[in-house]
Amino acid sequence: MRIQVFAVLKTFFKKEFELKARINTIAELRTHLRVVNPDAAAVLELCRFAVQDEFVTDQYILTGNEHIVVIPPSSGG
Amino acid sequence: MSISLSFHQAAEVNMDFITKKEIDLVALLQKSHCPSAGAVVLFSGEVRNHNIGKSVRYLEYEAHTNMATKMIAEILLAARNRWSLSIAFAQHRIGKVKVTESAVVVITASVHRGEAYASNRYIIDRIKHEVPIWKCEHFADGTKEWGGNCNCAKDTGDVNKHLYEFESV
């Protein structure tokens, strides 16, 4: 699966990267990213996730071929 | 991605909801007059020279443009339907935005001012809380910080539930 991150998450991860690990749900992905980089734990808790540009819940099932966007809390305006 | 809105007369103006170009407030306002509307409200969110006690040089915005464009379109449509607006438009800038420049504009027009004010507040609040746009503050001391983000989840316990300012007015 391909992971894309934005804003503050770019200080913890590459802007876009491929993830080969066996990850079944968005909840597992959140945990995986937290383990990879514990410094990002606090912001990851507040992130939304999108698959193919649509928001998904933590229960969303992943097949491994998705493009997943990790979206930190908004700060526009 | 550009969307032409039948409920805004400004089809020939730069109508991108997300833009890298300087926001032309005057041009947008000039195109926002409507025979059926007795009230036009234009809100411009502008970069100020200070935040959290520090001097700000400029802000840098980034967005997930596809998602942000779709979400702004949905928010505008919701506002238009809720308040029967003649015009509902919003544009957010990305990239480097200097002090006093507009980072975001929201224009609403309606029969009477109450609807124009209320809907304008609704649109900007939802954009700030929900739409994937982020600011990085560049301070005069050379430091920078991603910040000013929505903290609602700390109170609501849900990243999709927000405490909107327009609901507390």
Side-chain angles (χ1 to χ4, degrees):
Chain A
M1 61 188 71
R2 189 115 196 118
I3 311 292
Q4 186 180 6
V5 306
F6 284 89
V8 69
L9 286 173
K10 292 188 298 183
T11 58
F12 303 113
F13 303 97
K14 278 203 286 187
K15 188 177 178 181
E16 203 163 338
F17 58 95
E18 194 72 28
L19 207 53
K20 301 277 188 211
R22 176 91 180 127
I23 292 169
N24 298 305
T25 63
I26 290 293
E28 287 182 22
L29 175 60
R30 196 191 296 269
T31 302
H32 178 86
L33 294 174
R34 197 169 54 217
V35 170
V36 169
N37 195 333
D39 290 342
V43 68
L44 282 167
E45 282 308 302
L46 300 172
C47 284
R48 293 174 289 174
F49 289 73
V51 175
Q52 264 70 298
D53 289 356
E54 296 288 339
F55 285 115
V56 292
T57 66
D58 271 20
Q59 291 73 43
Y60 187 90
I61 307 288
L62 298 167
T63 64
N65 299 315
E66 294 86 356
H67 179 100
I68 303 166
V69 181
V70 191
I71 297 176
S74 299
S75 62
Chain B
M1 185 175 174
S2 182
I3 290 182
S4 187
L5 296 175
S6 59
F7 47 95
H8 194 297
Q9 315 296 307
E12 71 272 27
V13 179
N14 175 10
M15 291 294 284
D16 292 343
F17 296 149
I18 302 295
T19 183
K20 290 178 181 169
K21 297 177 190 161
E22 196 165 335
I23 294 175
D24 191 341
L25 296 172
V26 174
L28 287 170
L29 182 59
Q30 267 176 349
K31 298 291 182 184
S32 298
H33 306 295
C34 180
S36 62
V40 178
V41 170
L42 183 151
F43 168 77
S44 173
E46 306 192 345
V47 176
R48 63 173 181 270
N49 64 3
H50 66 281
N51 194 30
I52 51 173
K54 294 173 83 170
S55 182
V56 173
R57 281 177 59 218
Y58 63 91
L59 300 186
E60 195 144 22
Y61 287 90
E62 76 174 49
H64 186 307
T65 301
N66 282 349
M67 290 184 73
T69 299
K70 272 197 289 185
M71 290 175 74
I72 289 174
E74 287 165 9
I75 291 167
L76 293 175
L77 189 60
R80 185 198 177 205
N81 290 337
R82 180 166 166 180
W83 283 278
S84 299
L85 302 175
S86 305
I87 291 170
F89 179 69
Q91 188 172 64
H92 203 299
R93 194 167 162 194
I94 53 173
K96 183 175 174 179
V97 186
K98 293 184 277 191
V99 171
T100 74
E101 289 182 346
S102 180
V104 58
V105 62
V106 178
I107 301 173
T108 48
S110 57
V111 176
H112 301 294
R113 69 184 182 281
E115 294 87 346
Y117 274 123
S119 59
N120 200 290
R121 183 82 193 249
Y122 168 91
I123 292 165
I124 189 61
D125 287 354
R126 285 198 59 193
I127 288 174
K128 286 175 78 84
H129 284 285
E130 297 175 39
V131 178
I133 302 171
W134 305 274
K135 69 163 76 72
C136 185
E137 295 171 305
H138 291 255
F139 298 107
D141 63 7
T143 60
K144 64 177 183 177
E145 188 176 326
W146 291 97
N149 55 279
C150 166
N151 280 321
C152 295
K154 286 181 179 166
D155 293 320
T156 65
D158 183 341
V159 292
N160 293 303
K161 286 199 177 130
H162 301 283
L163 302 168
Y164 298 104
E165 291 81 353
F166 68 81
E167 288 175 333
S168 60
V169 172

